[in-house]
Amino acid sequence: MRIGIYDLAKIVLPFNPYKFFRVMIEKNDEFVSGQPLTTDNAAEVSPSLLTNAIDKAIVKVRPMATPLDQISRLGHVRTVDSMEVDFYSVDSRADRDIIKSCKAAQGVDGSEEVIFMVETEHPSRFEVTDTFTLADNPAGCMYYILAKDAAGTLTCAILSEDPESEEPLMSGQEVVRMGRAATQLDVQTPQFAALPTKRSNLCQIFKMQVEQSLVMKLSHKEIGWDFTDQQEAAVYDMRLGMEKQFLFGRKGKVFDHLKQETVTFTGGIWHQAGKDVSVTLNGFDQKALVDMLCAVFSDNSGSRRKVLLAGRDLISALNKLDHTHVITSRDQVTRWGIDFSELQSKFGTLYVIYSDIFDTMGMPANGMVIDPEYIQKHVFIPFTADTLDLRGSGQRNTEAMVLTEASCLTLRYPEAHARIIGG
């Protein structure tokens, strides 16, 4: 589909003014009076009208080549008022921990019951009334937390049907937090609070200028190559650069002494992901695929539908597998305007697409699993197409247009996204 930027710039025209005024009155209780309807006052009354329409046109330009940019435009988009974006991310509370030390003690009030004083590596993961069990023997004893002191030491009672089967807690053992248990008279429980981690990213100003001389415009061409084709190619090239930056960019600032201005660079989501999953491509088999899917979908608070962007070597290894009743494959599934291959497993569904960005960056064996539900796009300057009057200003006898967007991507719930490291 061919889309010209002049078409995008004029996208405000193909709507009925009467309907537009009616929408403004119904939704904003505002109207334009005593002046013509222009893009300026339209944007003032309905700021998302123009930018949303342009974005919907932009995503039709070669979506398969820039899947991350495509998904982010059609996902969660937030307008910001600063080039520096602060955001908070939080993951679910970990439910496993390691015992540092444990000693038996006499029961409360001199009772004969044996209790345990337990210290763990992360005391904040447990509270009074929590229960836990041993990770390597979940069918064995269970422990109930009676008290917790200021140092984080847990006072625990053991629960077992057979006293002879009771096993002592020892340092180095891994325990799993279970459910809370309250008495009949309990009204309150220890408070639970998930404290998010504050992070930041910088919006980067992406620009692309398209220019054509008036003589070139009037000259006869053997093929139908005109300014519209150049505009589409410019949008594609701009999105390709944004795709690389959104994936692998490094956050930072540089002061340009020639321009006397600070240039900001956005950080890519590759550096924001919360986990690494290593795979060996030599001899990659069904078991290795199951292990990879297990690592991707487990131990996080993400959704059960995720996207894998991968280089050629990783895609090749996946294509050589014979799919079984455990993991099924569908050749083509269309989501966000992109054609994916689909892997369905008991852990979740993985949409797979080849991204030659990984090849370009020298990482053909690597990939990245993203959770589209937890990608946030922050936009400081929405995608705009501005016409430059270079002839009127006496600079050049050309038609010119500048494409601009200032934006960045951030990840909520970093553990829901993973770097796939192929070796």
Side-chain angles (χ1 to χ4, degrees), residues 121-142:
E121 292 185 354
H122 304 90
S124 61
R125 296 179 182 178
F126 299 92
E127 293 295 342
V128 177
T129 73
D130 276 345
T131 60
F132 64 86
T133 186
L134 297 177
D136 58 355
N137 186 19
C141 301
M142 187 173 290

Side-chain angles (χ1 to χ4, degrees), residues 302-317:
S303 63
R304 288 294 170 258
R305 293 180 180 271
K306 300 188 180 185
V307 175
L308 170 62
L309 314 177
R312 64 173 181 265
D313 292 351
L314 182 53
I315 291 293
S316 177

Side-chain angles (χ1 to χ4, degrees), residues 194-206:
L195 299 178
T197 302
K198 185 176 181 179
R199 295 180 172 88
S200 66
N201 202 356
L202 299 172
C203 289
Q204 182 169 326
I205 301 176
F206 301 94

Side-chain angles (χ1 to χ4, degrees), residues 2-6 209-213 216-217 221 224-234 387 398-402:
R2 289 175 48 190
I3 298 174
I5 301 305
Y6 277 116
Q209 183 165 330
V210 192
E211 203 168 328
Q212 176 178 258
S213 71
M216 180 65 179
K217 178 182 178 181
K221 290 94 171 173
W225 185 264
D226 56 18
F227 199 37
T228 300
D229 297 281
Q230 294 189 41
Q231 294 161 11
E232 182 179 338
T387 304
T398 61
E399 289 182 337
M401 179 156 299
V402 174

Side-chain angles (χ1 to χ4, degrees), residues 39 55 84 186 236 260 262 272 286 380 396 399 417:
T39 57
D55 254 347
E84 185 162 358
D186 281 342
Y236 169 66
Q260 291 296 298
T262 299
Q272 300 176 33
Q286 194 78 19
F380 181 68
R396 288 186 296 277
E399 289 182 337
H417 313 264

